Amino acid sequence: MMKRLLFALLFALPLQALHSDLKATLDAPRTVQPGVPFTVTGTVENLGPDRAEAFRVSMNLGDRSCLSTDLFALDAGARQAFSCTTTMVPPRYAIQALFAVGSTNDLDPDHSNNSVSVVIELDAGPDLTSDLIGSRLVTPGIRNPLEILYRNVSLRPSSGATILVTVPRALGFGPVPPNCTSEGNTASCTVGPIAPGETRTLTGVAPILPLEQETSFDVNLEIRGNEADPFPVNNAWTMTITTYRTFFVTNANDRGEGSLRDALAAATAECTFTKQCQIAFRIDSAARTIRLQSPLGPITAKRLSIDGTTQTRYASDTNPLGPEIEINGSALNEGDGLDLNIECSAEVRGLVLNGFPRYALLLRRPDCFNGDLHRVVHENYIGTDPTGTRAVPNFRGIYIDVPRVDQYWRQAPWLIANNVISGNTRAGIWSENSYTMKIRGNTIGLNATRTAGLGNGASGIFLNRGAHATDVLENFIGFNAHAGVAIANGAQNVAVFANSIQANGAGGIDWNLDGPSPTTAPVRAPVIDSATYDAATNTTVVRGVIHAPSSYRPSLYLYANDAPDAGGYGEGQYFLYGNPVDNGAFEVRVPGDWRGKWIAGVALRSIFYGFLTAGLGEENSFQTTTSEFGNAVQVQ
């Protein structure tokens, strides 16, 4: 009995290991006509040596599954064909046809021939499309050039096109670019060849807007190619543009008709949630310094832009070194410059704010019930004269008191960008409370050309314990009496990276206000072991150790400095490198010869708070925290 069973098992083993090499081929046209049915045929051939059992085939045409068969069998040497018929129409101009065969028991000895694909193109002329991008809210009476985006989305080149822009009959156009003409309310522009997939931008076409009338109008855009367009539905675009409800400052008086004070009072009274308002400057005289004799008081309009650049745009640029409108508080015994208690959309742009006994700018109001979260302070000189070369101190430059609200969707954070904030008696920026704020691209403690230090009398940026989820990036921070960026104990998720930081009295980044403490800050600073120049590759090789446990890999930021701080720590004078690395030992190459400079780094830790962390008081997001600067090592 045992012998019979053994014989049966030996005889059965080869049957369990049948192999069949299935080969897939595909017959498909390379080009097809729009809307004309075409057939794609996939063929499976069994190259043997055995019969194929339990196989499936599938065919995909682009993102559509055309067929997927049940299990099938195929004798050695046999073939079987599978077909699918479909059509292609614009705006689709190419698809990839994929035919594949697969085994459920993986007994195919050669998988390299189990699938095949071809690209099928639509034989159609160039398809041109256009749209308008840019602000839908503009200043009245000023040229607001449109930005026209046009592209060829097909696979065939266009020999050229005409772009037509039409506005209401009452408006018309000002001067147009050389390749354009205008007549009445229509501007026509000719453009040259447009390659397949190419995108271009046309600027300089600007409707003439009424000066003192709040209005809304449609701009109609159309592109007409030299060849017939297979999909004309995407040739036209319409964008609705609205002008601000504008209050004009026409003189530099402290009060009265045409003054800044009266314009702000009118805006506060009239600017509701439904109106986008603007303070615009149109001062005819050479006197453009507004010397306040008493504080302006809180500004409580719902949506308001205070835009000093309008002076240049309405008239001419009389101060090429900086803003033309200066608001000075040297006659005040107390009070602030602009106290912005604006609930939703707010902007302060293109002003000089100096000489105030307290804050040049006070930013308040965290909540917004109407979904408009645009709040930005940009292109201002705060604490200097209008040339940005001489200090005219405020006590502090910008003071932020915007505590977090429970409903994060109502939070209206501030963006502070591209300002000069120097020469102030104390901190350039002081954040008492803030959430999801960005401080980006500013010059803090240097003159406007970044060629000399003006300093601030305390830290460049001070983030108190109520500052949460604040990013400080791409700024130039230097020559401040205390730290470049000082962060109090209790502040959370502060990321400081990709800045240029130098020559600050208490170092570049100071967590907990206790001086350099790179090992006891919330994130441990990286330790640089060596920095050497490799002439063969013209790179500087930096080796060290990073330890910043994160949800994902931490990021390492490296900087070069002319000299280390006292105690041997670095700052961030020249930004060199920023990328994720593994925790532990690292070796990084940065381009160039940095011999003689001192290399230092910071670590950026990223922790993801997700649904499993409910109760921590955080939304689903990455929370990032930066270390202090670590030790500085001279490049050899």
Side-chain angles (χ1 to χ4, degrees):
M1 182 66 180
M2 182 63 69
K3 290 183 178 180
R4 289 184 180 179
L5 180 59
L6 180 61
F7 178 79
L9 290 172
L10 292 173
F11 184 78
L13 285 175
L15 297 179
Q16 295 175 357
L18 295 177
H19 291 84
S20 50
D21 182 13
L22 294 183
K23 178 182 178 182
T25 57
L26 185 60
D27 180 21
R30 295 300 187 267
T31 60
V32 297
Q33 296 299 313
V36 178
F38 63 92
T39 299
V40 177
T41 301
T43 301
V44 181
E45 180 181 2
N46 184 357
L47 301 179
D50 301 310
R51 174 181 169 82
E53 299 283 356
F55 282 84
R56 295 182 189 276
V57 297
S58 64
M59 184 181 295
N60 293 318
L61 300 179
D63 56 3
R64 185 171 74 90
S65 177
C66 183
L67 64 91
S68 180
T69 67
D70 295 328
L71 295 176
F72 78 98
L74 194 62
D75 290 332
R79 298 184 179 190
Q80 187 167 344
F82 303 86
S83 295
C84 182
T85 299
T86 187
T87 61
M88 196 189 325
V89 295
R92 169 162 281 181
Y93 290 93
I95 60 171
Q96 182 182 52
L98 173 65
F99 179 65
V101 58
S103 167
T104 60
N105 53 21
D106 199 28
L107 294 179
D108 192 320
D110 181 9
H111 293 291
S112 65
N113 59 1
N114 288 168
S115 65
V116 62
S117 66
V118 298
V119 174
I120 304 171
E121 296 184 358
L122 190 68
D123 185 11
D127 178 11
L128 303 182
T129 182
S130 62
D131 55 34
L132 291 166
I133 59 176
S135 178
R136 296 172 181 266
L137 186 64
V138 300
T139 300
I142 292 178
R143 291 188 75 247
N144 292 277
L146 301 170
E147 188 168 3
I148 300 167
L149 196 70
Y150 61 98
R151 62 178 70 89
N152 180 1
V153 298
S154 75
L155 302 174
R156 302 290 183 266
S158 167
S159 64
T162 300
I163 295 174
L164 299 174
V165 185
T166 306
V167 294
R169 293 183 180 277
L171 299 185
F173 293 90
V176 293
N179 60 323
C180 303
T181 60
S182 65
E183 182 176 351
N185 64 329
T186 300
S188 175
C189 304
T190 58
V191 296
I194 313 167
E198 183 180 9
T199 298
R200 292 186 186 176
T201 302
L202 175 66
T203 60
V205 177
I208 299 175
L209 308 183
L211 180 60
E212 297 187 22
Q213 178 183 344
E214 184 182 358
T215 186
S216 181
F217 60 94
D218 287 341
V219 177
N220 297 302
L221 174 66
E222 183 183 2
I223 188 167
R224 299 175 182 174
N226 294 345
E227 295 81 15
D229 195 307
F231 192 58
V233 69
N234 62 1
N235 289 24
W237 183 269
T238 298
M239 183 170 78
T240 300
I241 293 179
T242 301
T243 59
Y244 286 103
R245 170 75 172 94
T246 304
F247 303 87
F248 291 99
V249 178
T250 57
N251 58 62
N253 299 339
D254 175 64
R255 61 183 64 247
E257 184 177 355
S259 69
L260 173 63
R261 192 182 302 273
D262 275 24
L264 287 171
T268 296
E270 297 184 33
C271 294
T272 64
F273 286 119
T274 60
K275 289 186 180 295
Q276 294 280 0
C277 296
Q278 182 182 58
I279 303 295
F281 296 83
R282 204 174 71 212
I283 299 175
D284 293 333
S285 67
R288 293 173 184 173
T289 297
I290 301 170
R291 301 187 186 279
L292 298 179
Q293 303 303 306
S294 62
L296 293 169
I299 301 167
T300 58
K302 304 301 183 184
R303 305 171 187 267
L304 181 64
S305 167
I306 304 173
D307 189 351
T309 70
T310 51
Q311 178 65 46
T312 301
R313 291 187 285 154
Y314 276 121
S316 61
D317 188 356
T318 59
N319 179 26
L321 298 178
E324 294 190 67
I325 300 298
E326 180 181 17
I327 305 175
N328 177 268
S330 59
L332 305 181
N333 293 320
E334 61 180 5
D336 308 309
L338 299 177
D339 177 356
L340 299 182
N341 199 15
I342 296 174
E343 189 163 333
C344 282
S345 176
E347 178 185 40
V348 177
R349 180 188 184 194
L351 299 173
V352 179
L353 296 161
N354 57 32
F356 286 94
R358 204 165 73 140
Y359 317 130
L361 276 174
L362 172 56
L363 310 182
R364 298 195 280 165
R365 264 327 261 268
D367 53 344
C368 178
F369 288 90
N370 286 267
D372 188 347
L373 306 182
H374 174 76
R375 292 186 178 188
V376 59
V377 173
H378 60 138
E379 302 171 45
N380 303 284
Y381 284 14
I382 300 173
T384 75
D385 72 338
T387 69
T389 61
R390 184 175 62 87
V392 184
N394 307 286
F395 180 66
R396 290 191 176 103
I398 301 176
Y399 188 92
I400 303 138
D401 188 11
V402 186
R404 181 182 173 183
V405 295
D406 291 335
Q407 296 89 350
Y408 72 92
W409 52 269
R410 284 171 41 198
Q411 192 75 31
W414 284 93
L415 169 64
I416 299 173
N418 304 319
N419 304 281
V420 176
I421 308 172
S422 302
N424 298 286
T425 303
R426 299 295 292 169
I429 299 174
W430 176 294
S431 177
E432 183 66 26
N433 293 288
S434 61
Y435 185 70
T436 61
M437 180 175 66
K438 279 187 169 54
I439 301 173
R440 184 171 194 168
N442 301 281
T443 299
I444 303 174
L446 297 91
N447 64 13
T449 57
R450 302 170 186 156
T451 56
L454 290 179
N456 288 288
S459 295
I461 301 170
F462 181 87
L463 303 175
N464 213 347
R465 64 187 60 193
H468 291 191
T470 295
D471 289 344
V472 179
L473 68 158
E474 299 172 4
N475 302 280
F476 290 81
I477 306 171
F479 303 94
N480 299 287
H482 295 168
V485 182
I487 309 167
N489 185 23
Q492 298 177 21
N493 307 316
V494 176
V496 183
F497 58 97
N499 302 279
S500 172
I501 305 179
Q502 62 173 313
N504 296 285
I509 302 171
D510 180 14
W511 274 96
N512 302 327
L513 313 182
D514 57 359
S517 52
T519 61
T520 60
V523 179
R524 186 183 303 176
V527 176
I528 307 298
D529 293 328
S530 65
T532 56
Y533 175 62
D534 182 359
T537 59
N538 190 31
T539 59
T540 296
V541 184
V542 183
R543 296 180 178 89
V545 177
I546 186 173
H547 183 72
S550 304
S551 300
Y552 295 92
R553 302 163 73 201
S555 291
L556 172 69
Y557 288 85
L558 295 177
Y559 302 82
N561 301 273
D562 290 340
D565 288 343
Y569 297 104
E571 291 194 37
Q573 189 172 353
Y574 309 104
F575 174 54
L576 301 181
Y577 173 91
N579 274 304
V581 297
D582 292 326
N583 270 303
F586 63 82
E587 178 180 300
V588 168
R589 290 178 177 267
V590 297
D593 181 358
W594 292 92
R595 281 178 291 185
K597 303 296 184 184
W598 295 74
I599 304 296
V602 297
L604 183 70
R605 179 188 68 193
S606 297
I607 295 179
F608 181 73
Y609 290 89
F611 295 103
L612 297 181
T613 58
L616 293 181
E618 300 290 346
E619 293 76 53
N620 297 314
S621 62
F622 280 100
Q623 304 295 334
T624 54
T625 305
T626 303
S627 71
E628 293 185 0
F629 284 98
N631 65 310
V633 171
Q634 191 170 30
V635 180
Q636 303 299 318

